[in-house]
Amino acid sequence: MTPAGAAPPASAPAADDSGDLAALAKGGRTNTLGFVVRLIARIPFLVIATRLYGAEALGRFASALVLIEIVALICSLGEKRGLAQRLSVGAGEDRARETNLVYDGLLLALGYSAVAAAVLLAFPDPMFPNGMNSPLDIWLVATIPAFAVTEILLAAQAYRFDIATTVRARAVVEPWTISIAAGVFFFIPATREAGLALAFIASIYAGLLTALWPFLRSYGLPKGWHPQARALAKISSRAFPIIGADAIERGTRLLDIFILGLFAPPQAVGIYYAAQQIASLPQKLKTSFEPILSPVITKNLRIGNMGAIAAQVRQVGFWIIAVQLGIALVLGVPGEAVMGLWGPDYVAGTAALALLLAAEVAASMAVVSESVLVYIARKRNLALSVAIIALQAVLTIAFILIAQHYGLGQGFQAAGAAGALLVALAVSSLVKSLLLSRLLGASIGNWRWALVHAAAPAVVVGYAFTFMPEWIELLLGIPAVLGVYALVIWRRGFSEDDKVLFRKQDAPASEPDPVSTV
């Protein structure tokens, strides 16, 4: 999907990357397990939300989450990717200094979150373009500070190579809490209409507590901490390009819902949201590599080893596209049966599901490239991100209006939004990978023809199962598709370095090296 760049420069410092590869593989295994757990935990929520609450209530809930998630992400100051560099530069080997720097970020996040929550509490209309399910929905603003603080806590743990906390919070506690709470609130008359919003609030705070306990054990309370206004202002200003990139990257997954909420009825938003919740799981897998990739990148930036960074991007990029393509086939080939699980009304979202899954595969290289660009070309990366989301907005509106002009149903309108996302993310991957390849002076391409060789027989097997009853298609067809794809990609696509991802070995226990300001 990405073209080959120039060969690595001969002057690039030689380094033994086996430790970095082990660290990336260990984080990748942990996050792959987290993805499976998250997939299992997300299913009960979707069943409850679609079967009990219905597409209209789900659509209003989804529209409200758009602004909440974007604002919370902005208030986290881009620390998901920026904290590793800030700690490396500002703390070195000083653990107490590390702790104080993290608390600087937490203080800023709480301050920005409080202001943002107060503004939305006073002017809630932008959150609810299709109206509220209940007056209690307004308290979704209470999740903004909790979400922002949790992002920083998890980034701090990832800096010390603790990815398990992220998996527990994001893949176990949050999805199971929202599933259980949504069911409980539905059967309480006083909270039935607000059940989805209240369940989401409960899940975010449960995730916060899950992240807070290991953070306090690892970092403790600050010692001799005296926040200074000038230092806090510097953190805010330096974080702006990363905040913009993070907000836009997440915004590409939320803009379509927002525009659908403005131009389409809430039922269409609900159908699209159900499809997106399935398709976004591969996206969680992709972005979950970022916390463990950031310390490795910053270490190699310190010594100027651009060749090693290119090799790590190629390695992680192939891991991600290989796993994501398998997930897309497993969920996309039997897409009608998968969407039918939520009810007959949701089958109309099958095309949207297929396009969304394809979009996540297309986006794989953009996200990995951006993990490096935010350090070495943050302003150019931000400018490209702005252009991409503008392209997506124009295409989304155009495709929805075309579907409405020709009298096409809600499923076609949802598919139009998904198609716009696919085009935008494909362009993003192409442009950002070209830029990174030129800056590193090395190829970062993650495409291998073995992906086609593995996908082709998997599609044939999956298509054969579509002629059978849906329960057979789901129970037997999905494992068959996965098995065929995994067998071929393992034998024809994975080198010995690739197979490290699936072999348990100890990652290095050393702390990340300091990195110079880039």
Side-chain angles (χ1 to χ4, degrees):
M1 299 183 65
T2 56
S11 59
D16 178 10
D17 300 328
S18 59
D20 290 344
L21 184 62
L24 291 171
K26 182 178 180 181
R29 282 193 303 275
T30 302
N31 284 312
T32 301
L33 175 62
F35 160 77
V36 175
V37 174
R38 191 183 185 104
L39 173 61
I40 296 171
R42 181 64 66 177
I43 291 174
F45 171 71
L46 286 175
V47 171
I48 291 169
T50 55
R51 296 281 184 171
L52 297 184
Y53 289 91
E56 186 171 346
L58 184 59
R60 292 195 181 103
F61 169 72
S63 296
L65 288 191
V66 172
L67 199 56
I68 291 292
E69 290 194 25
I70 289 294
V71 171
L73 194 63
I74 292 173
C75 292
S76 70
L77 301 174
E79 294 285 61
K80 183 176 182 179
R81 288 186 283 196
L83 185 65
Q85 186 181 31
R86 194 160 63 85
L87 294 182
S88 295
V89 172
E93 300 296 326
D94 188 344
R95 287 295 187 97
R97 178 61 177 158
E98 278 184 8
T99 300
N100 291 348
L101 286 174
V102 175
Y103 277 92
D104 283 343
L106 291 172
L107 178 63
L108 278 172
L110 284 172
Y112 287 131
S113 297
V115 173
V119 170
L120 288 178
L121 197 61
F123 305 99
D125 289 348
M127 284 194 297
F128 306 105
N130 285 317
M132 297 183 184
N133 290 322
S134 162
L136 293 176
D137 286 2
I138 188 63
W139 292 109
L140 284 168
V141 299
T143 62
I144 294 175
F147 184 96
V149 168
T150 302
E151 286 287 285
I152 296 177
L153 297 178
L154 294 177
Q157 290 301 107
Y159 181 72
R160 295 186 176 174
F161 294 102
D162 173 16
I163 303 300
T165 297
T166 299
V167 172
R168 280 194 297 271
R170 298 298 196 208
V172 179
V173 173
E174 286 186 7
W176 278 110
T177 299
I178 195 173
S179 297
I180 295 170
V184 170
F185 287 131
F186 180 82
F187 290 104
I188 300 175
T191 59
R192 176 172 296 179
E193 293 182 348
L196 292 174
L198 295 177
F200 180 76
I201 295 170
S203 72
I204 295 299
Y205 276 90
L208 170 62
L209 294 176
T210 304
L212 183 61
W213 176 245
F215 170 80
L216 292 175
R217 289 171 55 191
S218 179
Y219 286 83
L221 296 174
K223 296 178 181 179
W225 179 47
H226 302 290
Q228 298 179 354
R230 181 175 298 178
L232 295 178
K234 185 177 180 181
I235 293 172
S236 298
S237 63
R238 285 186 58 82
F240 176 75
I242 299 180
I243 293 172
D246 281 350
I248 291 171
E249 195 278 331
R250 182 63 186 136
T252 58
R253 307 312 199 282
L254 297 173
L255 181 66
D256 39 13
I257 292 180
F258 179 75
I259 294 176
L260 272 173
L262 294 176
F263 288 88
Q267 292 90 340
V269 182
I271 291 170
Y272 186 84
Y273 181 76
Q276 190 190 64
Q277 288 301 291
I278 295 295
S280 67
L281 288 165
Q283 190 257 341
K284 299 293 191 301
L285 172 70
K286 175 172 67 259
T287 56
S288 64
F289 272 88
E290 291 173 357
I292 198 66
L293 188 59
S294 294
V296 173
I297 290 172
T298 54
K299 185 189 75 172
N300 283 298
L301 283 173
R302 182 186 69 84
I303 61 177
N305 195 348
M306 298 302 183
I309 294 174
Q312 290 150 10
V313 170
R314 284 196 303 270
Q315 186 70 76
V316 173
F318 177 70
W319 281 342
I320 290 174
I321 195 172
V323 176
Q324 283 191 306
L325 180 58
I327 295 168
L329 293 172
V330 165
L331 298 175
V333 176
E336 188 170 332
V338 170
M339 292 302 294
L341 288 172
W342 323 129
D345 292 342
Y346 294 88
V347 175
T350 302
L353 174 63
L355 291 169
L356 287 170
L357 289 168
E360 295 302 340
V361 175
S364 61
M365 205 61 222
V367 173
V368 181
S369 298
E370 193 169 82
S371 296
V372 184
L373 290 174
V374 293
Y375 296 115
I376 65 176
R378 58 181 67 188
K379 293 181 180 179
R380 278 178 284 181
N381 178 68
L382 179 59
L384 289 175
S385 296
V386 171
I388 294 300
I389 201 169
L391 172 65
Q392 183 196 356
V394 171
L395 292 176
T396 302
I397 295 173
F399 290 169
I400 292 174
L401 292 180
I402 289 172
Q404 291 178 344
H405 176 75
Y406 287 99
L408 301 177
Q410 297 170 2
F412 285 95
Q413 295 175 41
L421 178 65
L422 171 59
V423 174
L425 292 180
V427 172
S428 179
S429 278
L430 177 62
V431 174
K432 291 189 176 184
S433 62
L434 283 171
L435 174 61
L436 181 60
S437 179
R438 183 170 63 84
L439 293 175
L440 296 181
S443 169
I444 61 167
N446 66 342
W447 174 258
R448 300 180 193 176
W449 282 105
L451 295 168
V452 176
H453 301 154
V459 170
V460 172
V461 170
Y463 182 71
F465 274 95
T466 62
F467 293 96
M468 300 181 182
E470 285 191 357
W471 68 271
I472 294 180
E473 184 179 357
L474 294 173
L475 292 180
L476 300 181
I478 286 179
V481 171
L482 179 60
V484 170
Y485 176 82
L487 178 64
V488 178
I489 197 68
W490 180 263
R491 291 188 173 180
R492 301 198 59 176
F494 275 65
S495 66
E496 288 304 312
D497 284 343
D498 298 321
K499 294 177 182 179
V500 171
L501 179 62
F502 299 96
R503 291 174 180 159
K504 185 172 178 58
Q505 53 186 291
D506 293 331
S510 60
E511 293 299 320
D513 293 336
V515 58
S516 59
T517 303
V518 179

